[in-house]
Amino acid sequence: MTDAHDAADLLPLLLEQERVIQFDSFDVGDAWAVGSRLVELGNARRHPIAVSIMSGDQRVFHAALPGACADNDAWLENKFRVVRRFANSSYAVGMRFRANSRDFSTDSNLDPNTHAAHGGAFPLRVQGSLIGVVGVSGLVQRDDHDLVVEALEEHRRTHG
């Protein structure tokens, strides 16, 4: 578990990632490319993950790799709700609570059965507007987050 000091140190990096990882456009073709890249990385690293991408309320990509299960899908939904509610990555939201010596599950006034401030869900922004969410579930939360960031950064570099 990350303590308040470590969370406070990590939070600026997470928010900077969100500031930088934005797109001029992002459509279903981009979702397919990012989702496919996450599947490729997951398979190459033998990660037991589920991957999902939402554009608005529409699921435009979903895959489950060997070892993933229905619980991973539920975690994705709970992380996605946090991104939509706070307009930040699920990991940044959790770190913000920890940095303030608070516990998301008890201090957010949100149902912990439907909202999870754990790493792995990242906002998709087009020209500053939140248009969707991409997420991974199946690893420890920092690794879920880092895998999504890796794929999104790569896509941003190659597709703007």
Side-chain angles (χ1 to χ4, degrees), residues 74 76-86 114-115:
L76 282 167
E77 290 301 319
N78 293 351
K79 294 177 194 183
F80 283 11
R81 285 186 192 97
V82 167
V83 173
R84 289 184 189 112
R85 176 73 176 244
F86 292 92
T114 60
H115 292 75

Side-chain angles (χ1 to χ4, degrees), residues 4-150:
H5 178 67
D6 291 339
D9 288 345
L10 183 58
L11 186 57
L13 167 69
L14 301 176
L15 297 176
E16 178 65 8
Q17 288 173 336
E18 292 179 35
R19 187 189 69 73
V20 170
I21 301 173
Q22 297 192 37
F23 301 92
D24 294 327
S25 66
F26 196 96
D27 61 17
V28 293
D30 294 297
W32 182 263
V34 170
S36 296
R37 181 64 177 146
L38 284 164
V39 167
E40 181 182 319
L41 292 169
N43 278 326
R45 298 171 187 173
R46 298 178 186 218
H47 290 328
I49 59 172
V51 177
S52 192
I53 301 177
M54 301 291 292
S55 177
D57 290 331
Q58 181 183 18
R59 186 173 320 281
V60 293
F61 186 93
H62 187 82
L65 302 186
C69 64
D71 285 346
N72 297 117
D73 295 338
W75 274 102
L76 282 167
E77 290 301 319
N78 293 351
K79 294 177 194 183
F80 283 11
R81 285 186 192 97
V82 167
V83 173
R84 289 184 189 112
R85 176 73 176 244
F86 292 92
N88 288 111
S89 72
S90 54
Y91 197 39
V93 172
M95 287 300 123
R96 183 177 293 119
F97 272 80
R98 287 182 196 93
N100 292 313
S101 299
R102 297 174 67 210
D103 178 67
F104 181 85
S105 294
T106 56
D107 296 328
S108 69
N109 294 320
L110 297 170
D111 185 347
N113 293 312
T114 60
H115 292 75
H118 295 272
F122 199 92
L124 286 173
R125 287 195 175 88
V126 171
Q127 299 178 7
S129 295
L130 180 64
I131 60 99
V133 185
V134 58
V136 166
S137 176
L139 308 172
V140 297
Q141 65 174 331
R142 176 77 186 249
D143 293 345
D144 278 348
H145 176 85
D146 288 347
L147 188 62
V148 171
V149 166
E150 179 181 349

